[in-house]
Amino acid sequence: MGFLSDIGGFIMTPLYYAISGILLGWHELLSTFLDPEGGLSWALSIIGLTLVIRIMLIPLFVKQIKSQRNMQLIQPKVKELQKKYGHDRQKLGEETMKLYKDAGTNPFASCLPLILQMPIFFALFRILDQAAKNQSGRGFLTDARATDFAESKIFGKIPISESFWEARTWGPTPDAIVMIVAVILVISMTATTFTTQRQLMSKNMPADAMSGPYAQQQKLLLYILPLVFGISGVAFPIGVLLYWTTSNVWTMGQQFYVIRNNPAPGTPAFKAKQDRDRAKGKDLKGSEEPGAAGPSGEAEGDRRPSVRPQPKRQTKAQRQSGQRPAGGPPQNPNLIKKKQGGGR
């Protein structure tokens, strides 16, 4: 146990310093116009911490999206390999991994942002838990600041370090306000997790990929993850629930933007984008209405093609004398002399 504890401390200690440093930085900034001992300044600091972490994870999110897209696009090839090597699982595994390598994807890359967030999540949980129970700080959070953190209340009523379970069991009577807020945050955390995964499956997965093993994995996660978060959420402090709910909302918005503007080919989102682009093109063409001003400032409907002036008709005497009609083009002198010479 001592060896495992040392390994855990070696991994978590840098996270304690990083998380507490960002948290205190936001708290110092917010304390310029909010009560430094109030729960609102600490709650907003946790939200600020979440935003900083999610911004740092954007490169991984881009890698995750590319990996998910490649996984979707190669599902028909995966099915072909399953039909061809279904009797030989070793060969099937080798050929599948080769296909993943050639496509530049990894079946575990889609879980990478979630996996990397888990140590951060547990580090924040540990900081809040130790501050609430022992008034002891971790990282840059001193014991005095940890005590302020643990005793702070949002709007003077909701302890930031208390959970639904603690509000239900501690004290002579349950703390109804804390329980209600905790339930709202747990439901929000669960709903945003489900919506994010559902959004990916319903809009950004080709029809061929909906029946493959990757789709089965996604369907399993669609229901398992919200269930796990919903059950475990009753033990999370309000501050941790704020972090996880904010992170889920960020993920949902970020994924919505990517699916809308850069969907995978052959998906419902891709077709919807094509329809929007076509409609936008029609709108641009429709804006060029007759009568609109042209480059010269003249209305297009008022323009008329120039008419070439025609010479007036000549009488027989005028043609014989070679007289130039009014408004007509000049006569050819050789033709006039020829006519005057009797046609020689």
Side-chain angles (χ1 to χ4, degrees):
M1 285 297 293
F3 177 71
L4 294 178
S5 178
D6 291 341
I7 293 177
F10 179 77
I11 295 173
M12 298 301 288
T13 298
L15 287 177
Y16 291 145
Y17 278 98
I19 290 173
S20 61
I22 297 172
L23 188 69
L24 289 173
W26 275 102
H27 187 258
E28 290 298 322
L29 177 63
L30 294 168
S31 295
T32 57
F33 53 90
L34 291 175
D35 180 9
E37 297 182 358
L40 186 59
S41 61
W42 284 110
L44 293 177
S45 298
I46 293 174
I47 294 175
L49 166 70
T50 311
L51 297 180
V52 171
I53 292 172
R54 292 315 307 263
I55 290 171
M56 293 171 65
L57 290 176
I58 285 178
L60 288 177
F61 177 79
V62 173
K63 186 175 182 180
Q64 175 194 20
I65 290 295
K66 290 181 178 179
S67 178
Q68 287 176 337
R69 176 173 298 182
N70 290 338
M71 287 290 294
Q72 294 161 10
L73 295 177
I74 65 174
Q75 286 309 301
K77 295 182 180 179
V78 173
K79 290 182 181 179
E80 292 177 4
L81 291 177
Q82 290 172 342
K83 292 179 181 178
K84 187 175 180 180
Y85 301 107
H87 61 284
D88 188 346
R89 298 193 65 84
Q90 181 178 354
K91 184 66 174 179
L92 175 61
E94 292 174 356
E95 292 296 323
T96 303
M97 293 307 297
K98 182 180 177 182
L99 178 62
Y100 289 156
K101 184 178 179 181
D102 294 340
T105 187
N106 189 319
F108 301 105
S110 60
C111 302
L112 195 57
L114 178 63
I115 293 172
L116 289 179
Q117 279 195 88
M118 294 310 294
I120 299 171
F121 175 80
F122 286 121
L124 179 62
F125 178 85
R126 187 67 175 167
I127 289 173
L128 281 171
D129 186 63
Q130 289 298 306
K133 293 180 179 178
N134 304 323
Q135 283 75 46
S136 62
R138 294 293 181 97
F140 293 110
L141 193 69
T142 62
D143 291 348
R145 300 297 292 273
T147 302
D148 293 339
F149 188 24
E151 295 177 352
S152 63
K153 296 182 178 181
I154 303 173
F155 305 122
K157 296 181 179 180
I158 307 168
I160 201 169
S161 60
E162 197 166 324
S163 67
F164 174 90
W165 195 255
E166 292 169 342
R168 179 180 176 274
T169 56
W170 288 10
T173 56
D175 193 334
I177 295 179
V178 174
M179 292 174 66
I180 291 172
V181 173
V183 166
I184 291 173
L185 288 174
V186 169
I187 292 174
S188 300
M189 179 179 65
T190 305
T192 49
T193 302
F194 179 85
T195 304
T196 301
Q197 194 66 21
R198 179 65 179 171
Q199 181 187 53
L200 175 66
M201 294 182 62
S202 63
K203 295 185 178 181
N204 207 39
M205 288 186 71
D208 293 341
M210 292 302 293
S211 58
Y214 179 72
Q216 297 303 318
Q217 174 190 353
Q218 296 297 315
K219 288 177 182 178
L220 186 64
L221 292 175
L222 177 65
Y223 296 101
I224 292 296
L225 284 180
L227 183 62
V228 169
F229 289 134
I231 294 174
S232 58
V234 296
F236 294 159
I238 296 293
V240 175
L241 292 176
L242 277 173
Y243 168 83
W244 204 248
T245 303
T246 305
S247 181
N248 283 356
V249 172
W250 175 285
T251 301
M252 187 169 62
Q254 191 171 240
Q255 182 172 274
F256 174 81
Y257 176 84
V258 172
I259 291 176
R260 178 178 175 82
N261 294 282
N262 194 21
T267 62
F270 187 80
K271 184 179 181 300
K273 186 176 186 301
Q274 287 181 320
D275 293 340
R276 289 195 305 271
D277 292 342
R278 280 194 292 267
K280 189 182 297 183
K282 289 179 181 179
D283 291 342
L284 290 175
K285 289 180 180 179
S287 65
E288 298 175 3
E289 299 175 355
S296 62
E298 191 178 328
E300 294 286 345
D302 296 338
R303 292 183 180 180
R304 297 290 185 271
S306 58
V307 180
R308 183 177 179 180
Q310 300 296 325
K312 293 184 179 180
R313 299 188 63 177
Q314 295 175 292
T315 63
K316 185 176 181 180
Q318 287 175 331
R319 287 197 298 272
Q320 290 177 350
S321 64
Q323 182 180 351
R324 176 184 174 185
Q331 297 295 313
N332 189 335
N334 295 328
L335 181 60
I336 295 172
K337 289 180 180 179
K338 184 177 181 181
K339 288 181 180 180
Q340 291 175 347
R344 290 178 297 175

